[in-house]
Amino acid sequence: MSTKKEDNMKCLNLDNINPNFIVMEYAVRGPLVIRAGEIEKELEKGVKKPFDQVIRANIGDCHAMGQKPLTFLRQLLALTLEPRLLNSPDYPDDVKERACALLSSCQGGSMGAYTDSAGLEYVRRQVADFIKERDCGIESDYLNIYLTGGASPGIKSILSLLHCHVDNKTPGVMVPIPQYPLYSATIAEYGMCKIDYYLDEDNKWGLNCKELQRAFDEAKGDCQPRALVIINPGNPTGQVLSRQNIEEIIKFAYDNQVLLLADEVYQANVYDKDSEFHSFKKVMYEMGEPYRSQELVSFLSVSKGYLGECGIRGGYMEVINMCPKVKAMLTKSITASLCSTTAGQVAVSALVNPPRPGEPSYELYNKEKTAVLSALKERAELVHKTFCSFEGYSVNPVQGAMYVFPRIDLPPKAVEAAKAKKMAPDALYAFELLESTGICVVPGSGFGQLPGTYHFRSTILPQTDKLKLMLEKFRQFHSDFMKKYK
Amino acid sequence: MSTKKEDNMKCLNLDNINPNFIVMEYAVRGPLVIRAGEIEKELEKGVKKPFDQVIRANIGDCHAMGQKPLTFLRQLLALTLEPRLLNSPDYPDDVKERACALLSSCQGGSMGAYTDSAGLEYVRRQVADFIKERDCGIESDYLNIYLTGGASPGIKSILSLLHCHVDNKTPGVMVPIPQYPLYSATIAEYGMCKIDYYLDEDNKWGLNCKELQRAFDEAKGDCQPRALVIINPGNPTGQVLSRQNIEEIIKFAYDNQVLLLADEVYQANVYDKDSEFHSFKKVMYEMGEPYRSQELVSFLSVSKGYLGECGIRGGYMEVINMCPKVKAMLTKSITASLCSTTAGQVAVSALVNPPRPGEPSYELYNKEKTAVLSALKERAELVHKTFCSFEGYSVNPVQGAMYVFPRIDLPPKAVEAAKAKKMAPDALYAFELLESTGICVVPGSGFGQLPGTYHFRSTILPQTDKLKLMLEKFRQFHSDFMKKYK
């Protein structure tokens, strides 16, 4: 007889751990992605497959798909982490000056020291200057800037701040459907209510304020709506909101007293010639009072845009019009995590204070940045055009961000087959795609979608040659799939 | 009349935000530290003070206090973040080889790619090898290793996992008093119960298992004790637990079915010649069944030890004997934060896979490491000896970690004066110290202490010359303080 503790004798088992951990799902890294990892290991071991590599089109991970880091940013990181290089003639003076300024803003002149919990004051001021320039001169106060390890920890700390049962009602957060699963996962983790509002697929994933009001009114009985999440440019849907649409959303938030959370991490990723990024802050300020005083938090990250530095973990949030006493509590709650990584803070500095025309680094910086953005634009058009030509696909244009989110008209037999396997029909589609081509996408059910519709999200990140190859494989798979389930 | 929203009209105010945010405190970065920052700004502006700089002895921030980063670690970071340097003759081959191996373990060969949520498999395997070597050959499975951004996020994710109301009882976590305030802050943030057990100051801050049982039994009526936190070597108390003591603790945890959380971030910081670090894992394995199957999580970080790289944010946890289904939920919950910073993961790799004798980097590495550790040992003895000579001080030796935690016999008049100001008496002491000398320490009340006793925590981190100066100023202040309140 074993004296080892059986699972049901353990201190921790499924019956006595945080029930929210059991409920939460995070599709972008869900079972499909785990299977993709297994397949990669099988390929390494020499298992024969109809393909020789997995194409990870499931996650907005630019460098993993071959995008090269910008020289300027990596030089700045190397100089700040290894200050001996400041003596090397191989680094341009403007980067050295930036590195010296960053180092003197660190305690003890070292990136190894903790920073203030909200980040280095020097970088927070740079962020405020960047926002002011972006928003055509509208002031930004560095005290409203919190540096974060990517956008996610900032979003999580704001959602956690909202966690209060008012009048015995669970707090609710309005999220777009389809949405980025960080929101659904965090809302589940915190035991809050997710209030779904649907984006209008027939109108290029636009946002209809009547739908916002419907969602709000229907939820109000069951929970206390506290915040409205907007993702612009959209993930997974790729739309770019018009200025007028943003005004309507701000009015809605003001009228219904909900905090606005503007996930603007794709603000540099706009490809459509008729679209333009408008920050919620700028529109709100231009609308004047009373909307000018609406509470708003906006997020940006170094993981997207043209840097694509996902692994470094750098980002910021700007917290606008928050009651100072509440802001003090937010700040206090952040102190227990000490500070975000200094490498991430340097990356944010690189993002918001790039080389200017005339500086030695400018030319290369601009060339690299432009190359990344034009390649993304080219691929945005390519995936749209290609998927449009697939039988049963309807595809909105990729106006911005890094994803395409086609709707597939799945044959009834495929839907039945999925039901028999207790899978979502688009998950069946994505699993078959993965097993037969090595292409890993995320089923629409991971983001949410109108009941009865089926989608998937693919990134536009594989390098153009690889993307073309992927799309050809995809076409073949789709055609076979349609035949199989005809 | 203003149309601006007044504070009480805001979406968020003190009555409707997360009440746990209001309750939580984090003394290491509390009001005293905020005041220290203000004083620094006043000094910059030219305000006259009886001192010309603030000495931040409040936080274990090695580099901020002048400790130099280890060359090996910074070279590894520079090479991985700026791979062009791999062609430079200025870097030793062993560091280059390590950098190449790390880069090929990243997707796309770039530190800018996301890693697995638990971290790079390559680094997790290195951690497992390190633990095996540390624990004299006891196996470590890399699948039990999670790379984290410093120790704190790991500790927070485990505490969050425990958050379950069993039989309608709030989950409770046993923490030492005095304790590191991350625990009290996180337990408050999650609305859990803190169960205090007192360390025995008269016995060099040793841990008496009868006291553990008393705390457990008394708490059991009000809450459901789920976990026991041990900090070894101790923070703020500097003790190093004996092997026998660790065995007793393991027996206690097993008998009472609580998860063991071993905060072992100071494992390399042992100065006392009669003390030795024993990992909980090793002792547990050596005790054999049934203790061998006890659930345990152990934490390590690159912020302490001899690296002191606080700002980089690197660390790991080893999760032992956890039910696989529960571990799957833990893993899932971590995915929503994507991954810890790659720079931190490289730093962990440097910690667990240092240069070996015979490798080109070894000599310098060993010299730098030894210098840091001997300086810390020297200062541990210096602060102990000096504080022992102060009137009304009783001071346990600094066997390990980075702090001294003297008890001060405060004069009744000082206690009354504090009461009149609605301050903790040791906070009054620390505030007067700060205002008159610029020395910033943390009052014992921020860590918890036996009612009626007063302490403060000072780091031993100022460089030796500065430390001597600080201790002299301290002596003068203390003597003046005692006269003032005689």
Side-chain angles (χ1 to χ4, degrees):
Chain A
M1 197 186 85
S2 165
T3 51
K4 284 198 182 182
K5 277 193 185 180
E6 300 302 326
D7 284 358
N8 57 3
M9 288 283 295
K10 298 259 186 197
C11 308
L12 272 55
N13 57 56
L14 286 188
D15 296 328
N16 69 14
I17 62 166
N18 191 332
N20 299 333
F21 278 36
I22 298 173
V23 176
M24 72 171 280
E25 292 297 342
Y26 193 65
V28 177
R29 296 199 158 199
L32 216 104
V33 185
I34 293 166
R35 177 68 193 130
E38 290 168 4
I39 291 177
E40 275 175 344
K41 293 212 163 178
E42 289 169 21
L43 286 170
E44 270 170 36
K45 280 184 200 150
V47 177
K48 284 271 169 268
K49 302 263 176 194
F51 49 88
D52 55 11
Q53 63 171 325
V54 168
I55 301 178
R56 288 180 173 261
N58 58 294
I59 188 163
D61 191 350
C62 312
H63 290 202
M65 300 313 288
Q67 183 180 311
K68 292 285 163 265
L70 260 66
T71 305
F72 164 68
L73 180 143
R74 293 304 187 94
Q75 286 183 332
L76 193 63
L77 276 169
L79 288 170
T80 46
L81 283 163
E82 169 77 321
R84 271 166 284 238
L85 291 170
L86 288 166
N87 302 317
S88 158
D90 298 340
Y91 289 81
D93 285 342
D94 56 336
V95 191
K96 284 184 182 174
E97 281 158 26
R98 281 171 170 81
C100 289
L102 281 164
L103 284 171
S104 36
S105 77
C106 295
Q107 297 275 348
S110 170
M111 298 263 292
Y114 290 120
T115 71
D116 285 348
S117 300
L120 292 166
E121 179 179 327
Y122 181 75
V123 179
R124 294 164 74 199
R125 287 185 186 274
Q126 290 182 320
V127 171
D129 291 344
F130 162 82
I131 294 173
K132 183 177 172 182
E133 196 176 322
R134 181 198 68 188
D135 290 343
C136 310
I138 292 170
E139 287 299 330
S140 170
D141 184 345
Y142 86 93
L143 291 168
N144 290 339
I145 309 294
Y146 295 77
L147 304 185
T148 53
S152 303
I155 293 168
K156 290 188 82 169
S157 61
I158 297 293
L159 290 177
S160 177
L161 178 68
L162 295 173
H163 199 293
C164 179
H165 286 71
V166 178
D167 301 334
N168 247 330
K169 277 184 180 171
T170 306
V173 179
M174 303 181 69
V175 297
I177 298 296
Q179 55 102 34
Y180 177 60
L182 166 66
Y183 295 100
S184 47
T186 305
I187 289 166
E189 183 184 339
Y190 294 165
M192 295 161 83
C193 250
K194 182 163 72 76
I195 305 170
D196 296 346
Y197 67 86
Y198 286 90
L199 299 174
D200 185 0
E201 183 163 17
D202 294 335
N203 189 20
K204 291 182 188 169
W205 297 113
L207 203 165
N208 183 329
C209 278
K210 282 190 191 141
E211 166 62 9
L212 283 182
Q213 197 65 56
R214 178 208 61 78
F216 181 90
D217 292 339
E218 281 182 20
K220 235 172 116 181
D222 305 324
C223 71
Q224 181 75 36
R226 298 297 309 278
L228 167 61
V229 172
I230 306 284
I231 311 176
N232 179 46
N235 176 5
T237 39
Q239 83 284 21
V240 177
L241 295 180
S242 72
R243 200 184 181 292
Q244 194 198 334
N245 213 173
I246 293 176
E247 281 194 18
E248 290 163 3
I249 295 165
I250 292 169
K251 281 185 184 158
F252 169 86
Y254 181 85
D255 292 341
N256 294 282
Q257 280 220 297
V258 291
L259 172 69
L260 256 176
L261 299 185
D263 180 337
E264 298 177 321
V265 300
Y266 295 101
Q267 57 188 260
N269 300 101
V270 177
Y271 316 115
D272 180 70
K273 66 177 172 32
D274 299 321
S275 299
E276 195 187 339
F277 170 74
H278 303 275
S279 80
F280 267 81
K281 183 183 179 192
K282 179 163 178 277
V283 175
M284 211 173 80
Y285 272 58
E286 287 173 352
M287 287 167 75
E289 294 295 353
Y291 306 111
R292 154 78 185 75
S293 298
Q294 166 65 32
E295 290 149 85
L296 167 71
V297 188
S298 163
F299 304 91
L300 187 57
S301 144
V302 302
S303 306
K304 312 299 170 186
Y306 44 90
L307 296 176
E309 292 279 6
C310 305
I312 305 290
R313 311 311 297 132
Y316 74 75
M317 58 181 175
E318 186 183 22
V319 177
I320 302 155
N321 293 325
M322 189 177 275
C323 161
K325 288 174 193 156
V326 172
K327 223 174 78 177
M329 295 302 132
L330 175 66
T331 305
K332 193 173 70 172
S333 80
I334 289 172
T335 56
S337 303
L338 294 162
C339 65
S340 68
T341 168
T342 46
Q345 297 186 36
V346 168
V348 170
S349 177
L351 172 68
V352 299
N353 183 35
R356 306 280 165 169
E359 289 188 315
S361 302
Y362 179 73
E363 204 173 325
L364 180 62
Y365 166 80
N366 196 48
K367 194 179 126 195
E368 292 176 344
K369 171 182 167 177
T370 310
V372 169
L373 288 175
S374 1
L376 285 169
K377 183 178 157 72
E378 181 191 17
R379 289 184 237 139
E381 286 158 11
L382 177 66
V383 289
H384 177 248
K385 204 177 106 191
T386 312
F387 280 135
C388 275
S389 70
F390 284 21
E391 179 196 351
Y393 267 48
S394 14
V395 198
N396 272 314
V398 183
Q399 297 175 327
M402 297 177 171
Y403 314 97
V404 64
F405 196 69
R407 182 165 74 203
I408 331 167
D409 200 2
L410 288 178
K413 274 197 184 162
V415 177
E416 277 164 39
K419 216 175 258 174
K421 290 186 179 177
K422 293 187 177 161
M423 285 171 92
D426 44 18
L428 173 86
Y429 185 83
F431 264 107
E432 293 203 6
L433 175 72
L434 175 64
E435 297 289 348
S436 62
T437 66
I439 301 168
C440 184
V441 298
V442 185
S445 41
F447 304 92
Q449 53 199 350
L450 260 184
T453 67
Y454 307 113
H455 301 77
F456 66 84
R457 186 187 83 167
S458 169
T459 71
I460 58 166
L461 294 176
Q463 300 298 294
T464 307
D465 286 352
K466 205 172 178 180
L467 185 62
K468 284 183 181 160
L469 209 74
M470 168 180 132
L471 291 170
E472 273 325 295
K473 283 175 153 191
F474 213 128
R475 183 191 300 279
Q476 188 59 53
F477 162 78
H478 181 66
S479 152
D480 295 348
F481 184 92
M482 295 304 270
K483 271 180 217 147
K484 181 174 170 188
Y485 291 105
K486 205 169 181 172
Chain B
M1 199 187 82
S2 164
T3 51
K4 284 197 183 183
K5 276 193 186 181
E6 300 302 327
D7 284 357
N8 56 5
M9 288 283 294
K10 298 259 188 197
C11 308
L12 271 57
N13 57 58
L14 286 189
D15 296 327
N16 67 14
I17 61 166
N18 191 332
N20 299 333
F21 278 36
I22 298 173
V23 177
M24 72 170 278
E25 293 295 343
Y26 193 66
V28 177
R29 297 198 158 199
L32 217 106
V33 185
I34 293 166
R35 177 68 192 131
E38 289 168 4
I39 292 177
E40 275 175 343
K41 293 212 163 179
E42 289 169 22
L43 286 170
E44 270 172 36
K45 282 185 198 149
V47 177
K48 285 269 170 269
K49 302 263 175 195
F51 50 87
D52 55 11
Q53 62 171 324
V54 168
I55 300 178
R56 289 180 174 261
N58 57 293
I59 187 163
D61 191 351
C62 313
H63 291 203
M65 300 313 287
Q67 182 181 314
K68 293 284 163 268
L70 260 66
T71 304
F72 164 68
L73 180 143
R74 293 305 187 96
Q75 286 182 332
L76 193 63
L77 277 169
L79 289 170
T80 45
L81 283 163
E82 169 77 321
R84 271 166 284 238
L85 291 170
L86 288 165
N87 301 318
S88 158
D90 298 340
Y91 289 80
D93 286 342
D94 55 337
V95 191
K96 285 185 184 174
E97 280 158 25
R98 281 171 169 82
C100 290
L102 281 164
L103 284 170
S104 36
S105 77
C106 295
Q107 297 275 348
S110 170
M111 297 264 290
Y114 290 119
T115 71
D116 284 349
S117 300
L120 292 165
E121 179 178 327
Y122 181 74
V123 179
R124 295 164 75 198
R125 287 186 184 273
Q126 290 182 321
V127 171
D129 290 345
F130 161 83
I131 294 172
K132 183 175 174 183
E133 195 176 323
R134 180 199 68 188
D135 290 342
C136 309
I138 291 170
E139 288 299 330
S140 170
D141 183 346
Y142 86 94
L143 291 168
N144 290 338
I145 309 293
Y146 294 77
L147 304 185
T148 53
S152 303
I155 294 168
K156 292 187 81 169
S157 62
I158 296 293
L159 290 178
S160 176
L161 178 67
L162 295 173
H163 199 294
C164 180
H165 286 71
V166 178
D167 300 334
N168 246 332
K169 277 186 181 171
T170 306
V173 179
M174 303 182 69
V175 296
I177 298 296
Q179 54 103 32
Y180 177 59
L182 166 66
Y183 295 100
S184 48
T186 305
I187 290 166
E189 184 184 340
Y190 294 163
M192 294 162 84
C193 250
K194 180 163 74 73
I195 305 170
D196 297 345
Y197 67 87
Y198 287 89
L199 299 175
D200 184 0
E201 182 162 18
D202 295 335
N203 189 19
K204 293 183 187 169
W205 297 113
L207 203 166
N208 184 328
C209 279
K210 281 189 193 139
E211 168 60 10
L212 283 182
Q213 196 66 56
R214 176 207 63 78
F216 182 91
D217 291 340
E218 281 181 21
K220 235 172 115 181
D222 305 325
C223 71
Q224 180 76 36
R226 300 297 308 279
L228 167 62
V229 172
I230 306 283
I231 311 176
N232 180 46
N235 176 6
T237 39
Q239 84 283 21
V240 178
L241 295 181
S242 70
R243 200 186 182 292
Q244 195 198 334
N245 214 172
I246 293 175
E247 281 193 17
E248 290 163 4
I249 296 164
I250 292 168
K251 280 185 184 156
F252 169 86
Y254 181 85
D255 291 342
N256 293 281
Q257 278 220 298
V258 291
L259 172 68
L260 256 176
L261 299 185
D263 180 338
E264 299 178 321
V265 299
Y266 296 101
Q267 58 188 261
N269 300 103
V270 177
Y271 316 116
D272 180 71
K273 66 175 172 31
D274 299 321
S275 299
E276 194 187 339
F277 170 75
H278 303 276
S279 78
F280 267 79
K281 182 183 179 191
K282 178 163 177 277
V283 175
M284 210 173 81
Y285 272 58
E286 287 173 354
M287 288 166 75
E289 294 296 351
Y291 307 110
R292 154 78 186 75
S293 298
Q294 166 65 31
E295 289 148 86
L296 166 71
V297 188
S298 163
F299 304 92
L300 187 55
S301 145
V302 302
S303 305
K304 312 300 171 187
Y306 44 89
L307 296 176
E309 294 278 6
C310 304
I312 305 291
R313 312 310 296 131
Y316 74 75
M317 58 181 176
E318 187 185 20
V319 176
I320 302 155
N321 292 327
M322 189 177 274
C323 160
K325 288 173 192 157
V326 172
K327 224 176 76 176
M329 295 300 132
L330 175 66
T331 305
K332 192 174 71 172
S333 81
I334 288 172
T335 56
S337 304
L338 294 164
C339 66
S340 68
T341 168
T342 45
Q345 297 186 37
V346 169
V348 170
S349 176
L351 172 67
V352 299
N353 183 34
R356 306 280 165 170
E359 288 188 316
S361 302
Y362 178 73
E363 205 174 324
L364 180 63
Y365 165 81
N366 195 48
K367 195 179 126 194
E368 291 177 344
K369 170 182 168 176
T370 311
V372 169
L373 288 175
S374 3
L376 285 170
K377 183 179 158 72
E378 181 190 19
R379 290 183 236 139
E381 284 157 11
L382 176 66
V383 291
H384 178 248
K385 205 177 106 192
T386 311
F387 281 134
C388 275
S389 70
F390 285 21
E391 179 196 351
Y393 268 50
S394 16
V395 197
N396 272 316
V398 183
Q399 297 174 326
M402 297 179 171
Y403 315 97
V404 64
F405 197 68
R407 182 164 74 202
I408 332 168
D409 201 0
L410 287 178
K413 275 197 183 162
V415 177
E416 277 162 40
K419 217 175 259 175
K421 290 186 179 178
K422 294 188 176 160
M423 286 171 92
D426 45 18
L428 175 84
Y429 185 84
F431 264 107
E432 292 203 5
L433 175 73
L434 174 65
E435 296 290 349
S436 61
T437 65
I439 301 168
C440 183
V441 297
V442 185
S445 40
F447 303 92
Q449 53 199 350
L450 260 184
T453 67
Y454 308 113
H455 300 78
F456 66 84
R457 185 188 83 165
S458 169
T459 71
I460 58 166
L461 293 175
Q463 300 298 295
T464 307
D465 287 353
K466 205 172 178 180
L467 184 64
K468 283 182 181 160
L469 208 75
M470 169 181 132
L471 290 171
E472 273 325 295
K473 283 174 154 192
F474 214 129
R475 184 190 299 280
Q476 189 58 52
F477 161 79
H478 181 67
S479 151
D480 296 346
F481 184 93
M482 294 303 270
K483 273 180 213 145
K484 180 174 169 189
Y485 292 105
K486 205 170 182 172

